[in-house]
Amino acid sequence: AILRVQPPTRLPGPCHVISNLRITEVGEGRIAVNSHWQTNTYHRRVTASLFGYYDHELVEQDGDWKIAKKIIVLVNDHLDLPIDINQV
């Protein structure tokens, strides 16, 4: 018998675009990073576009930058599809 294995099918997912990055020093070893984002998702023959902005605060620890705070703001006023964390 011949065993045929199909590779896993990739589930439809969002395409992320991040732009307009602004980096500001807020203190010794701390920076604020602000950016705008957009995701496009195709699911069950429906395309949805989400957009908003991110606010991050990073802190330097042992020579590496770590996220100390992250805020995700969704600006859409109407949602055609349910959303999950992978879309923002």
Side-chain angles (χ1 to χ4, degrees), residues 3-88:
L3 176 63
R4 295 179 190 223
V5 178
Q6 294 289 330
T9 303
R10 184 169 188 256
L11 296 173
C15 174
H16 291 78
V17 177
I18 299 173
S19 67
N20 298 354
L21 271 77
R22 184 177 58 220
I23 301 172
T24 309
E25 186 175 6
V26 294
E28 184 67 31
R30 296 183 84 82
I31 59 173
V33 180
N34 309 100
S35 60
H36 292 243
W37 59 268
Q38 178 182 354
T39 60
N40 296 301
T41 303
Y42 179 76
H43 181 70
R44 295 186 179 165
R45 298 183 184 219
V46 176
T47 301
S49 182
L50 303 174
F51 56 94
Y53 58 90
Y54 296 129
D55 291 326
H56 289 86
E57 189 168 319
L58 281 67
V59 61
E60 188 176 15
Q61 290 180 348
D62 301 322
D64 292 324
W65 289 96
K66 307 287 184 180
I67 298 174
K69 180 177 163 184
K70 179 178 183 177
I71 298 173
I72 303 170
V73 177
L74 175 66
V75 180
N76 290 62
D77 61 349
H78 176 77
L79 299 175
D80 294 320
L81 297 171
I83 63 171
D84 66 32
I85 193 64
N86 294 316
Q87 293 173 289
V88 294

